[in-house]
Amino acid sequence: MTLDPTEIASSWLQSYAAFLTSGDVKGAVSCLQDTSFLRDFLVFTWNNRTLHGHEEITTYLANNLAHASVADFELDTRPGLLPEIDGLNTRMVSSVANTVSAGFTFGCKVGKGQGYFFLVPTDAGEWKAISVMMQLADISGHEEWIQEEGAHEGHTLSWTDVNRERRETIEKDPYVLIVGAGHNGLNAAARFKHLNIPSLVVESNVRIGDNWRKRYPTLHLHVPKYYCELLYHPYPASWPLYIPRDKIADWLEHYAQAEDLVVWTNSRPLPGPTYDRTSGRWTVVIDRGGKHVTLNPAHIVMAAGALGAPNIPVMENRDAFDGPIVHCADYQGGKPFAGKRVVVVGAGNTSADLCQDLSFHGAESVTMVQRSSTMVVPITLVENEMERWFRDTKTDTTDFLLMAKPIPLMQKMAEQNETSLVEQLKEYYQSLREAGFKLVTNKGLFTIFYAAYGGYFYDVGCVDLIRSGKVKVKQGVEIARLEKNSVIFTDGSTIEADAIVLATSFRSIRDSLRGIFGDSVIDQTSPVWGLDHEGELRGIYRPSGHPGLWFAAGEFYTSRSRTKQLALEIKAVQLGLLKL
């Protein structure tokens, strides 16, 4: 029998909406499978939550449904959100058959909402949701705008004068101070601007984009460009699929200018910001190119990413080593290492890139120190998956569809496909194991990425070097101590070396900020990155634990999609709807 996804979706939504609008929690939960997920972004509480199973969802709705005042549910008619069959499968392979999915809109107490659901049939033939996501889209009267008219006061004022006055007003009294002008900070600033939240960005580098320009020369995006767009500005169609370092850097600089964002470069907050809980304002001193400027923002958004200072492992007798020891943050290419025996500590994306670069530039030997285990995925598989998500759909629609899938659900779906993935890559993985490389194959990529912001690499050539022996693997050990021309490992083995490159990632930004805010402030905040007990990302784009202090971190998709939540939370504080 041919399924009609619109009829199925409409019937289910009609029942679910009737129960919610009448306050019937038991009825609403009856529309969900026993092991279903409810993902909430600011509809029922001013936070993001994922509830799993009837018991958790029932308790959550019982406590929060009444004051949310949800109503006026309708199926979404926008392209990409219409009811469809196997919507769960077409964007991420799943063993669940006959899925019907659809977007919907609704009203709530403070504004308009949008949502998405995935339905599967029960044994009795009844359609129930395996997952429902509900999200606050806009606060009434304060909707996100995309473009302004541009003709000011009937063409009597020039844009130059208007823009200068706007900048001066923000510089004098920013409502939000954003620290960091990478993609996280700039996405946040652009989103704030489009919700009329005055924000000032401070960047420690001399130029916007220097955080990319200072990295290793062969750095490219490790995923296709359409996954890595900034808000409102897609990359040029003619640009490479995997955009190189310097083009990203220049694009960030261009983006700030194109979006008319207010950014102070060569600027940083000095230690000792204080927060007045009565006024709800910070006092923070900014070193702006040597000049000290005192600001009183209501909010500080730390947008330096999840990563702080370079993570330098302890190596006994370090000063005895005769060669250079370089962290990946300072690595500027493989040419200086030609003819040298190089040890690279780490086995993630950066390590794979650097090992490949060192080999290409004629290092006598390259040894990758793999301290634990790593997930490896050929770049072609990554590209195929990203293309399925983004190629034929608007970026904001795809972001919404990805947000509709709770992280625990994505983890379960990935785990269901691990057996077929391992079988597909059987020979590829076997050759890596034979070279001494320890693989992770019993966890999904989402689990690894969200847990530690690392632990994997997308293969763009390093695997062939490992299999051929051009890059050797030293597995399951740490560097214990150093001698003049040798590295001694924790298992007692030794290899000769002329240089050491540390692809050992970075410390948590939260720990790095103790020198700015002090322990008393940082100890009140949640860890940044990793998953909480509900499977939501900890500490970013949601209340941190300290009023007026927020963290913005993650890769381009996370930054782009989650800044709306952050902007709505801050707007709610500004409007008196939310008290931190």
Side-chain angles (χ1 to χ4, degrees):
M1 183 177 69
T2 303
L3 298 176
D4 184 338
T6 300
E7 181 180 337
I8 292 168
S10 179
S11 176
W12 180 88
L13 182 62
Q14 186 176 11
S15 296
Y16 181 65
F19 288 130
L20 287 181
T21 54
S22 66
D24 186 346
V25 171
K26 183 177 179 181
V29 174
S30 73
C31 297
L32 315 177
Q33 278 201 338
D34 292 347
T35 58
S36 63
F37 295 90
L38 173 64
R39 195 177 202 189
D40 171 32
F41 289 94
L42 312 184
V43 175
F44 299 107
T45 68
W46 286 105
N47 209 326
N48 53 297
R49 301 286 303 276
T50 292
L51 297 312
H52 184 210
H54 277 192
E55 184 176 348
E56 284 189 8
I57 296 172
T58 297
T59 301
Y60 187 69
L61 290 179
N63 291 334
N64 300 295
L65 176 59
H67 66 254
S69 301
V70 293
D72 302 325
F73 286 74
E74 295 182 359
L75 286 176
D76 204 321
T77 58
R78 290 173 294 174
L81 301 177
L82 295 167
E84 61 177 346
I85 297 174
D86 285 342
L88 199 61
N89 294 337
T90 56
R91 290 184 177 85
M92 183 179 294
V93 179
S94 168
S95 63
V96 176
N98 295 325
T99 309
V100 170
S101 60
F104 62 97
T105 61
F106 60 95
C108 61
K109 184 175 183 179
V110 299
K112 296 180 179 178
Q114 57 185 0
Y116 203 85
F117 56 81
F118 300 97
L119 309 178
V120 294
T122 65
D123 292 339
E126 186 179 7
W127 289 89
K128 294 196 174 187
I130 192 171
S131 181
V132 181
M133 185 270 282
M134 298 177 69
Q135 177 185 74
L136 178 64
D138 279 304
I139 297 173
S140 294
H142 303 275
E143 290 79 9
E144 179 178 9
W145 57 270
I146 300 301
Q147 66 179 8
E148 58 183 344
E149 185 182 63
H152 302 285
E153 300 294 334
H155 290 280
T156 61
L157 293 177
S158 73
W159 175 87
T160 301
D161 290 338
V162 170
N163 190 52
R164 184 185 65 253
E165 290 176 7
R166 289 174 176 175
R167 292 182 64 90
E168 289 174 350
T169 299
I170 290 173
E171 288 177 323
K172 288 176 183 176
D173 186 26
Y175 187 69
V176 181
L177 174 67
I178 301 172
V179 180
H183 65 272
N184 287 294
L186 296 181
N187 269 330
R191 185 78 82 176
F192 293 167
K193 174 190 170 185
H194 287 265
L195 271 87
N196 299 315
I197 302 171
S199 63
L200 167 68
V201 185
V202 295
E203 166 60 44
S204 61
N205 285 303
V206 174
R207 288 178 64 189
I208 297 171
D210 277 353
N211 58 326
W212 281 78
R213 293 185 189 94
K214 291 179 178 180
R215 297 299 303 278
Y216 55 94
T218 59
L219 176 62
H220 287 63
L221 292 177
H222 287 112
V223 289
K225 63 184 179 182
Y226 32 80
Y227 184 80
C228 300
E229 290 179 358
L230 297 173
L231 283 165
Y232 319 114
H233 289 257
Y235 294 115
S238 60
W239 273 29
L241 184 63
Y242 297 96
I243 305 175
R245 176 195 74 175
D246 293 328
K247 290 184 80 67
I248 289 287
D250 291 345
W251 187 257
L252 292 175
E253 196 169 45
H254 160 77
Y255 181 80
Q257 192 171 40
E259 273 293 314
D260 301 319
L261 305 180
V262 184
V263 183
W264 291 353
T265 56
N266 194 24
S267 301
R268 57 195 56 77
L270 294 176
T274 58
Y275 184 76
D276 186 328
R277 291 177 181 266
T278 301
S279 66
R281 291 275 178 167
W282 290 90
T283 297
V284 56
V285 179
I286 303 298
D287 179 346
R288 187 184 185 190
K291 179 182 178 182
H292 291 184
V293 181
T294 300
L295 299 173
N296 298 109
H299 305 272
I300 297 177
V301 176
M302 299 306 304
L307 307 177
N311 184 27
I312 309 294
V314 175
M315 295 173 284
E316 184 182 338
N317 210 29
R318 174 174 175 152
D319 292 342
F321 189 68
D322 203 31
I325 301 175
V326 181
H327 189 269
C328 59
D330 301 312
Y331 177 89
Q332 288 300 307
K335 290 180 181 179
F337 300 94
K340 296 185 182 296
R341 300 164 296 182
V342 186
V343 171
V344 180
V345 183
N349 261 328
T350 298
S351 174
D353 281 357
L354 302 193
C355 287
Q356 191 170 351
D357 185 50
L358 288 161
S359 178
F360 176 79
H361 283 100
E364 180 182 323
S365 66
V366 180
T367 302
M368 176 190 288
V369 179
Q370 186 194 29
R371 296 165 292 174
S372 54
S373 55
T374 309
M375 185 176 199
V376 179
V377 183
I379 194 66
T380 51
L381 291 186
V382 178
E383 183 178 329
N384 290 341
E385 192 71 6
M386 295 294 177
E387 184 167 346
R388 186 158 58 241
W389 292 348
F390 283 91
R391 178 66 79 179
D392 297 321
T393 308
K394 289 175 60 179
T395 300
D396 58 349
T397 301
T398 300
D399 287 349
F400 177 70
L401 291 171
L402 287 174
M403 293 279 282
K405 303 177 180 73
I407 294 172
L409 177 61
M410 290 197 288
Q411 290 173 322
K412 287 177 64 176
M413 293 163 64
E415 289 164 4
Q416 290 171 352
N417 293 305
E418 281 163 15
T419 301
S420 61
L421 177 65
V422 171
E423 182 62 29
Q424 180 183 351
L425 300 174
K426 183 176 180 180
E427 293 182 7
Y428 178 85
Y429 283 159
Q430 183 59 31
S431 62
L432 271 173
R433 291 191 179 97
E434 290 172 354
F437 194 90
K438 187 175 181 180
L439 286 159
V440 174
T441 58
N442 63 345
K443 295 181 181 179
L445 180 59
F446 289 103
T447 301
I448 294 170
F449 176 69
Y450 286 131
Y453 213 73
Y456 67 95
F457 75 77
Y458 299 144
D459 176 33
V460 295
C462 190
V463 166
D464 283 342
L465 297 175
I466 292 173
R467 292 190 292 199
S468 68
K470 292 181 180 179
V471 171
K472 299 177 175 60
V473 177
K474 184 71 176 174
Q475 206 285 321
V477 295
E478 301 266 4
I479 294 178
R481 68 182 191 278
L482 304 177
E483 301 296 343
K484 183 177 181 180
N485 298 113
S486 60
V487 176
I488 298 93
F489 295 98
T490 48
D491 65 354
S493 61
T494 301
I495 63 173
E496 301 298 308
D498 303 307
I500 298 171
V501 178
L502 301 173
T504 49
S505 192
F506 299 80
R507 295 164 53 201
S508 166
I509 184 62
R510 181 170 173 264
D511 291 333
S512 297
L513 290 175
R514 291 183 181 275
I516 300 293
F517 289 94
D519 291 341
S520 62
V521 170
I522 297 301
D523 285 345
Q524 297 178 51
T525 65
S526 163
V528 175
W529 205 256
L531 299 177
D532 65 17
H533 69 284
E534 293 181 346
E536 288 291 341
L537 283 165
R538 298 182 299 179
I540 59 171
Y541 303 105
R542 60 194 303 191
S544 70
H546 188 287
L549 180 59
W550 310 80
F551 294 94
E555 86 291 23
F556 284 82
Y557 153 71
T558 298
S559 168
R560 189 176 58 239
S561 59
R562 297 295 184 98
T563 49
K564 184 63 176 285
Q565 176 186 337
L566 176 60
L568 288 171
E569 288 166 323
I570 288 177
K571 193 70 179 179
V573 175
Q574 187 182 33
L575 296 172
L577 300 172
L578 170 62
K579 185 166 182 144
L580 296 174

